[in-house]
Amino acid sequence: MTESIRRIVLASRPSGAPTPSNFRLEEATMPDLPDGQVLLETIYLSLDPYMRGRMSDAKSYADPIPIGEVMVGATVSRIKQSRHRDWRQGDIVVAYSGWQTHAISDGSDLRRIDPAVAPISTGLGVLGMTGFTAYAGLRNIGRPKPGETVVVAAASGAVGSVVGQIARIQGARAVGIAGGADKCSFVRNELGFDAAIDHHDPDFARLLAEACPDGTDVYFENVGGAVWDAVRPLLNNFARIPLCGMISHYNDGAAGKSTVDRLPASMKVIQQRSITVRGFMNVEFIDQQPAFLEQAAGWIADGRLKYREDIVDGLENAPSAFIGLLEGKNFGKLIVKVSGEQYSRPMPAS
Ligand SMILES: NC(=O)c1ccc[n+]([C@@H]2O[C@H](COP(=O)([O-])OP(=O)(O)OC[C@H]3O[C@@H](n4cnc5c(N)ncnc54)[C@H](OP(=O)(O)O)[C@@H]3O)[C@@H](O)[C@H]2O)c1
């Protein structure tokens, strides 16, 4: 029997929030493997906010996904078959296979991961792109000093959870902002932030101000919108803002929700308090990735860096999980389990 592959393609472009009809599950014939290439079997698929931008045809830093093409995304994959001299069957790699069960690669986009270091799913989160984004933004732009206050938006999520923990490792105070009591309790009690404030609370702005009695020296921006409105008055002179993302605006657009004009208030505070706002893409700092991976593996091993993964079972559930990500329904790094994990962490020697 010929094996087939399953994949989710972009069926139509969303207007405002994505809906299930924007995606289509398809089956296709397993492709032949050309010489010099490897066949990858997806174990885990990463779901990330940037995918919303790729579904749109608005001009951006990356090309839009064409209608009918496979949704893009990073994966942890197993090399099922290799016709490439540098890659062996059975290797576990971080790849960019997209929302599908199998893909072919020439090896240039693969990063080998060591299942002995941590569960392989971490290659998409704390030891992957999102963990590195947190490290790079804080190290190169936020640069917290001991005793300073670092406020982190989307603090229970993949990037934010790592930002606050690294800030604390560096001797700063970490104040997280998250949606709901459970997420705030996790941020405060499991991740060890100094405080966590619920942005759904009607008294959010006052509670945040109380949690920052000495103002805010670094604001790690992941969200924008009403969260930025509450942080803005608390910023100290010479505060630094790594502008990582603005997820609360990703579903804005022609037919999306109307937006408030925050430009004058934002420019005023930036100018009058000599604030540095620096947008960034993690790839700018990619030469720092090996140092990050080594340091983060050490922090995980000694218990200073904790992580939470929200693992959804089955490729067919990727669209609803992704729609939920843009509504704050995920709790931790959102990952889809696409096939059985055949390489789990080896048992420690007795
Ligand atoms: N610059 C880069 O290179 C780079 C790389 C990776 C990620 N990013 C950005 O980093 C940010 C976080 O990404 P992530 O992967 O770590 O996702 P995540 O935090 O794991 O998940 C997204 C979280 O955003 C929050 N959220 C969603 N809609 C919101 C809204 N309208 N208002 C307030 N909060 C909202 C929700 O948390 P709550 O329930 O707590 O509100 C949700 O759980 C995103 O903006 C993303 O685009 C940037």
Side-chain angles (χ1 to χ4, degrees):
M1 195 176 72
T2 325
E3 214 182 332
S4 61
I5 72 174
R6 291 188 309 136
R7 60 192 186 192
I8 293 179
V9 302
L10 180 66
S12 57
R13 299 200 188 281
S15 170
T19 65
S21 66
N22 297 134
F23 305 91
R24 188 172 60 243
L25 180 64
E26 289 183 345
E27 286 213 5
T29 314
M30 185 76 72
D32 291 332
L33 183 62
D35 202 26
Q37 314 246 331
V38 298
L39 174 64
L40 299 163
E41 180 179 25
T42 307
I43 302 172
Y44 293 110
L45 164 67
S46 180
L47 294 182
D48 297 277
Y50 75 84
M51 294 166 176
R52 174 63 186 83
R54 304 291 300 276
M55 295 174 76
S56 157
D57 59 5
K59 193 168 160 42
S60 178
Y61 63 91
D63 289 338
I65 302 166
I67 298 291
E69 288 297 319
V70 178
M71 288 288 298
V72 296
T75 59
V76 165
S77 301
R78 183 180 70 91
I79 297 186
K80 192 177 164 79
Q81 196 185 340
S82 178
R83 297 190 64 193
H84 190 300
R85 61 188 178 148
D86 297 337
W87 299 96
R88 284 168 318 181
Q89 185 181 336
D91 282 349
I92 301 293
V93 295
V94 175
Y96 204 67
S97 297
W99 297 26
Q100 56 186 343
T101 56
H102 299 81
I104 283 179
S105 165
D106 65 4
S108 59
D109 58 343
L110 305 182
R111 174 169 70 85
R112 195 176 270 109
I113 52 177
D114 179 357
V117 172
I120 60 175
S121 54
T122 58
L124 300 175
V126 67
L127 291 177
M129 183 275 280
T130 54
F132 177 61
T133 300
Y135 170 90
L138 207 55
R139 179 173 193 265
N140 296 286
I141 304 166
R143 286 187 241 143
K145 300 182 194 68
E148 286 192 331
T149 298
V150 177
V151 172
V152 187
S156 75
V159 175
S161 59
V162 177
V163 172
Q165 292 182 88
I166 297 180
R168 281 194 48 87
I169 290 168
Q170 295 175 345
R173 255 190 102 236
V175 175
I177 299 169
D182 287 351
K183 287 185 178 180
C184 286
S185 163
F186 168 72
V187 168
R188 174 82 187 79
N189 301 323
E190 306 281 327
L191 301 181
F193 283 44
D194 297 274
I197 310 298
D198 180 1
H199 67 84
H200 297 315
D201 192 304
D203 230 1
F204 167 52
R206 187 184 62 77
L207 293 170
L208 185 65
E210 272 178 23
C212 303
D214 299 324
T216 298
D217 303 294
V218 177
Y219 172 50
F220 200 100
E221 176 63 293
N222 285 323
V223 166
V227 170
W228 167 235
D229 290 339
V231 172
R232 212 164 47 232
L234 309 177
L235 293 165
N236 289 334
N237 288 342
F238 302 104
R240 288 85 64 201
I241 303 181
L243 174 46
C244 178
M246 298 211 297
I247 193 169
S248 74
H249 296 287
Y250 292 177
N251 285 331
D252 291 353
K257 54 192 165 189
S258 66
T259 53
V260 180
D261 180 7
R262 294 181 166 87
L263 189 64
S266 301
M267 296 298 252
K268 187 174 165 195
V269 83
I270 291 165
Q271 186 258 319
Q272 293 186 346
R273 296 189 203 159
S274 307
I275 289 167
T276 302
V277 181
R278 162 77 152 85
F280 75 102
M281 302 296 299
N282 60 70
V283 290
E284 291 178 58
F285 304 109
I286 203 68
D287 57 327
Q288 299 170 16
Q289 193 187 39
F292 158 72
L293 288 171
E294 195 181 326
Q295 204 156 31
W299 289 333
I300 290 173
D302 68 22
R304 284 190 288 171
L305 182 56
K306 301 193 173 72
Y307 60 93
R308 178 178 173 127
E309 295 172 333
D310 186 343
I311 300 190
V312 172
D313 212 12
L315 181 67
E316 64 284 3
N317 293 316
S320 58
F322 176 68
I323 292 166
L325 174 73
L326 300 168
E327 298 168 351
K329 290 194 177 141
N330 64 305
F331 191 167
K333 172 69 197 118
L334 186 59
I335 293 171
V336 179
K337 187 171 181 222
V338 176
S339 71
E341 180 178 332
Q342 295 165 33
Y343 287 77
S344 55
R345 192 178 190 166
M347 296 292 287
S350 54

